[in-house]
């Protein structure tokens, strides 16, 4: 729990300085989004024959900067759990990967009347691996290990393409509640020797509010 809290705190240490460096006029229009939810991740690539999804946590913060009345730039940082599980011959293997993910998304919000408005997002996402644990269990016995101690070909950086859609629901004042669905398709292999790519589907909920006003 302490390690997770430190990771969440570091997200604000990345996003907030960027916001504070913006010109005062632009900061007055900028919104902050705080979101968290569940992610279903797996592994793909030509060297993956079969891998099952594993559930994990995704939590982060974003700055939403207006470009036009309907187009925004969304700069964020999130802790994202990824990896996969595999079962066979009475053996279950679980690979848990943790990343500090930094997406840079174009966000399109068509004009909509009422309190509910849709939005659509797409763009690249750079991720830095911050943890890796592997566990195997069979017939009641379980062993686990830190990946960095056992595998020397895992890359510390990952690049993906992210796309998604969501709804903003206006509440009292300038506060709004958001619900998003995101998909991250890994573009680069996370292994130096094999073709193994991250895949992750996330369902998130959070709040949005303006700053600098």
């Amino acid at each position: 729990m302490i390690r997770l809290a430190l990771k969440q705190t570091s997200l604000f240490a990345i996003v907030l300085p960027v916001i504070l460096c913006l010109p005062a006029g632009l900061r007055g229009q900028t919104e902050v989004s705080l979101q968290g939810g569940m992610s279903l991740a797996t592994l793909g690539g030509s060297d993956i024959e079969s891998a099952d999804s594993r559930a994990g946590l995704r939590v982060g913060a974003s700055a939403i900067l207006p470009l036009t009345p309907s187009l925004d730039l969304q700069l964020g940082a999130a802790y994202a759990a990824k990896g996969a599980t595999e079962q066979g011959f009475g053996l279950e293997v679980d690979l848990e990967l943790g990343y500090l993910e930094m997406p840079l998304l174009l966000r399109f919000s068509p004009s909509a009347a009422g309190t509910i408005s849709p939005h659509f997002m797409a763009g690249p996402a750079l991720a830095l691996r911050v943890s890796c644990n592997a566990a195997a269990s069979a017939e009641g016995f379980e062993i686990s290990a830190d990946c960095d101690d056992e595998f020397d070909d895992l890359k510390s950086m990952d690049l993906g393409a992210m796309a998604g859609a969501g709804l903003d629901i206006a509440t009292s004042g300038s506060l709004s509640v958001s619900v998003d669905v995101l998909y991250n398709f890994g573009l680069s292999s996370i292994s130096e020797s094999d073709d193994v790519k991250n895949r992750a589907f996330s369902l998130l909920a959070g709040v949005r509010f303006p700053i600098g006003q």
Side-chain angles (χ1 to χ4, degrees):
M1 293 298 293
I2 295 176
R3 291 178 60 188
L4 181 57
L6 291 175
K7 291 171 184 175
Q8 295 179 24
T9 302
S10 67
L11 303 180
F12 298 96
I14 293 174
V15 175
L16 291 183
V18 174
I19 298 173
L20 295 176
C21 289
L22 297 172
L26 188 57
R27 285 205 307 270
Q29 306 169 40
T30 299
E31 290 185 302
V32 170
S33 173
L34 307 177
Q35 287 189 314
M38 186 184 71
S39 178
L40 287 177
T42 188
L43 296 174
S46 60
D47 290 316
I48 297 296
E49 295 183 0
S50 63
D52 298 322
S53 298
R54 71 178 311 276
L57 178 70
R58 181 183 174 88
V59 58
S62 301
I64 302 173
L65 288 64
L67 302 176
T68 71
S70 59
L71 190 65
D72 302 317
L73 181 65
Q74 181 169 322
L75 172 66
Y79 172 76
K82 300 183 182 181
T85 63
E86 186 174 358
Q87 298 182 11
F89 304 103
L91 178 67
E92 179 176 352
V93 179
D94 179 48
L95 176 64
E96 179 183 358
L97 301 171
Y99 287 90
L100 177 61
E101 195 168 71
M102 293 165 284
L104 180 63
L105 308 176
L106 282 177
R107 177 186 175 106
F108 175 66
S109 303
S111 299
T115 60
I116 301 178
S117 58
H119 56 263
F120 306 91
M121 303 162 288
L126 180 67
L128 302 176
R129 182 167 56 83
V130 296
S131 65
C132 179
N133 294 283
S137 60
E139 297 182 354
F141 295 95
E142 181 175 342
I143 59 172
S144 61
D146 189 312
C147 297
D148 292 325
D149 296 333
E150 301 295 331
F151 309 109
D152 57 4
D153 62 345
L154 284 179
K155 296 179 181 179
S156 60
M157 186 177 296
D158 186 31
L159 178 64
M162 185 174 287
L167 295 173
D168 290 313
I169 306 170
T171 58
S172 58
S174 56
L175 184 70
S176 62
V177 175
S178 62
V179 179
D180 285 350
V181 176
L182 288 174
Y183 182 70
N184 191 327
F185 184 88
L187 299 176
S188 61
S189 176
I190 63 173
S191 170
E192 297 282 359
S193 56
D194 299 305
D195 181 29
V196 180
K197 298 182 175 70
N198 280 313
R199 306 281 189 262
F201 173 86
S202 302
L203 179 61
L204 307 170
V207 294
R208 285 179 55 192
F209 53 90
I211 63 169
Q213 297 181 348

